[in-house]
Amino acid sequence: MATSTYLSSPNVTVNSISLQDQCHGLTFTRTIEALESTAFGSGSRVYVAGLENSTLSLDLYLSFAASETYATLKNLVGTSTTVSWSASATSPGTATNPTMTLTGAYLEALPYEMALGSLGQISVVFTGGIYSVVEV
Amino acid sequence: MKYEIVSPRIGTPGDTYEPVDGVNVEALVAGGFIIQSPTKAPKGAKTKTDTNEE
């Protein structure tokens, strides 16, 4: 049985900036909205595909240093950008290591907390955009 | 408009940055990841000056 184990090399780029060394978790949910089209005579609910509305959540360490997490994200709030990720940074874009991309994904908020003695972290959510996969 | 890579997170510093579709270039400039390449001033037309004092 083949499985995927994420040890050290998954890659993620936000606005073409690699945040591999700051990211420690990623959740992607591909969503195509369900529009109900149930009509008289149906014995169960029926749906058709609506608009795509996928989300990508990134868990990052929050560094305020130059060229790090905050510098990458601060100017993206309220705008759309391109986000890409792959299970391994080595030879991405292949059948066994596809590169997934959300083009035109919207970043609504940049929420973070600062607590004494804790490591700064931030979770950001990119919403919408066009989903594509490169797996040549 | 040409851009030059500053941060190794994007590529090799000093190389030309080619914007990709969907990438927010203004945010990259504002974040200090790339800079606008300095543009050379266009050369003026050459004019011949007659130095012959006849």
Side-chain angles (χ1 to χ4, degrees):
Chain A
M1 182 185 73
T3 57
S4 293
T5 306
Y6 308 103
L7 295 176
S8 66
S9 64
N11 192 30
V12 60
T13 61
V14 175
N15 203 36
S16 78
I17 300 161
S18 173
L19 289 177
Q20 183 187 33
D21 63 342
Q22 296 286 359
C23 187
H24 60 91
L26 178 158
T27 304
F28 174 66
T29 306
R30 190 175 187 211
T31 304
I32 297 174
E33 292 170 348
L35 304 179
E36 185 169 356
S37 59
T38 312
F40 292 163
S42 294
S44 61
R45 296 202 182 277
V46 179
Y47 296 90
V48 295
L51 295 175
E52 181 160 355
N53 190 20
S54 299
T55 57
L56 175 72
S57 173
L58 300 179
D59 301 320
L60 304 156
Y61 295 112
L62 182 56
S63 169
F64 291 92
S67 298
E68 298 291 347
T69 311
Y70 183 72
T72 302
L73 298 172
K74 65 177 181 178
N75 295 299
L76 295 176
V77 182
T79 70
S80 297
T81 187
T82 298
V83 191
S84 295
W85 63 99
S86 56
S88 171
T90 308
S91 303
T94 60
T96 54
N97 184 27
T99 298
M100 282 67 81
T101 302
L102 270 181
T103 305
Y106 182 76
L107 180 62
E108 183 181 30
L110 196 62
Y112 61 86
E113 294 178 1
M114 294 179 171
L116 187 64
S118 68
L119 188 61
Q121 297 187 45
I122 186 170
S123 291
V124 291
V125 179
F126 291 90
T127 309
I130 300 165
Y131 176 70
S132 61
V133 182
V134 176
E135 46 187 357
V136 181
Chain B
M1 183 108 32
K2 281 194 166 185
Y3 297 95
E4 185 180 314
I5 295 172
V6 174
S7 169
R9 285 187 180 276
I10 288 201
T12 308
D15 282 4
T16 301
Y17 175 74
E18 299 291 347
V20 183
D21 260 3
V23 167
N24 188 333
V25 176
E26 288 174 3
L28 291 177
V29 174
F33 295 93
I34 58 174
I35 55 169
Q36 283 184 20
S37 293
T39 49
K40 291 178 183 173
K43 286 181 180 176
K46 284 183 181 174
T47 48
K48 274 190 175 179
T49 30
D50 191 0
T51 52
N52 193 353
E53 294 176 0
E54 280 183 26

